[in-house]
Amino acid sequence: MAWLQRLDTGEMQMISHSRIVVPLADGAEGERRMRQYGTFSTMNRCWNQRRSEETIGIYWTTLRSGHTIIRCIESNAVGGPLFPTKR
Amino acid sequence: MIRWCQQRSGQVIGDFGCGEACLAQAVSDRHTIYSIDHVAINEEVIACDIAHVPLDDESLDVAIYSLSLMGANFTAYVREAHRTLKLDGHLHIIEATERFSNREQFANNLEQLGFNVIRIDDLWKFTPHTGHQDRGGEGREDVELCF
């Protein structure tokens, strides 16, 4: 919690820096990363559009099958939107 | 919320949608913290549907929803706060300001769910709503929160 203590003591510094842009990799490497990680926006949208009992049902089913939940892609199919990646 | 909790002690707090359970890490020496989320990041976190948490009625002094009103049924999460909070227990909802299209309507709906809204703040890019559980105003079943 050092960051919180620094706020309390007023120890703050303002810095300016150029915008950091990390381009998505092209080709096979890019596809591999999309498969493995998906996109935060899509995952966020899935969470917001689905009811919690459905979301958590998918989580538990996925975890019980020995996968980690990494990827969520756009789909309205019940039980379909989460694509797990093998541990 | 960490700072708010650090200024108090002896409360029973539900952190709904706790994520990495940072609140418990910071203030569990001062309070009893129930960290709750759909997925447990460690053994201290209760993994469950936060629309149906395994806590007794009127067991909490404080219910916190920090960037956790996600899901088509998030009104049900807040109904759980009404069920699990003691009379006059504190409700804290912190969401990104940009999510709110009509925060007065959001506050009105919270009142209809059985809370007495006491503060709406502007805190950098976030809008915290603070309220009390008001048993006199039982939550209406037909009310749905919307941003």
Side-chain angles (χ1 to χ4, degrees):
Chain A
M1 292 297 132
W3 62 270
L4 196 62
Q5 290 167 2
R6 285 197 295 274
L7 285 178
D8 287 335
T9 59
E11 184 188 336
M12 294 176 65
Q13 292 183 356
M14 297 294 288
I15 61 170
S16 60
H17 58 78
S18 57
R19 189 176 175 208
I20 300 171
V21 178
V22 181
L24 290 174
D26 293 330
E29 176 61 15
E31 291 176 12
R32 184 191 70 76
R33 290 184 185 180
M34 284 296 290
R35 273 201 309 277
Q36 186 165 5
Y37 303 114
T39 70
F40 182 81
S41 298
T42 306
M43 183 178 69
N44 216 20
R45 189 164 60 247
C46 288
W47 285 347
N48 271 312
Q49 291 178 348
R50 214 183 271 124
R51 294 179 63 82
S52 59
E53 63 266 27
E54 187 184 351
T55 300
I56 201 164
I58 295 169
Y59 284 161
W60 288 350
T61 302
T62 307
L63 292 171
R64 285 192 195 109
S65 64
H67 295 77
T68 55
I69 300 165
I70 293 179
R71 187 157 185 239
C72 181
I73 69 164
E74 196 171 352
S75 167
N76 289 319
V78 175
L82 284 171
F83 277 63
T85 300
K86 282 282 186 185
R87 280 194 179 118
Chain B
M1 283 315 308
I2 290 173
R3 188 170 293 153
W4 188 91
C5 291
Q6 284 176 333
Q7 292 165 346
R8 293 157 176 82
S9 61
Q11 306 279 290
V12 182
I13 299 173
D15 185 5
F16 292 76
C18 65
E20 297 182 12
C22 292
L23 184 71
Q25 290 173 28
V27 298
S28 59
D29 58 330
R30 308 177 64 86
H31 303 282
T32 300
I33 310 284
Y34 292 106
S35 300
I36 303 162
D37 212 325
H38 289 163
V39 176
I41 196 166
N42 61 43
E43 293 180 355
E44 304 299 318
V45 174
I46 302 167
C48 66
D49 182 349
I50 62 174
H52 302 284
V53 299
L55 297 176
D56 292 336
D57 294 357
E58 302 180 52
S59 57
L60 297 177
D61 297 302
V62 182
I64 297 171
Y65 297 80
S66 181
L67 306 181
S68 57
L69 296 187
M70 301 178 72
N73 60 324
F74 69 82
T75 302
Y77 308 171
V78 181
R79 290 188 201 281
E80 274 298 82
H82 191 269
R83 181 184 70 78
T84 54
L85 277 171
K86 300 171 185 172
L87 177 63
D88 295 330
H90 284 253
L91 171 72
H92 294 271
I93 294 174
I94 302 101
E95 283 292 332
T97 300
E98 66 180 9
R99 286 195 78 180
F100 292 94
S101 58
N102 186 339
R103 63 188 194 180
E104 285 71 28
Q105 182 62 51
F106 187 86
N108 287 339
N109 288 343
L110 280 177
E111 300 260 357
Q112 291 176 327
L113 288 173
F115 295 96
N116 178 23
V117 177
I118 54 176
R119 287 180 62 182
I120 304 173
D121 295 316
D122 287 302
L123 192 62
W124 191 41
K125 295 182 179 180
F126 304 101
T127 299
H129 284 65
T130 306
H132 286 148
Q133 207 270 21
D134 183 1
R135 188 63 68 186
E138 282 292 341
R140 278 176 46 182
E141 293 294 324
D142 60 335
V143 173
E144 291 292 322
L145 291 170
C146 62
F147 289 104

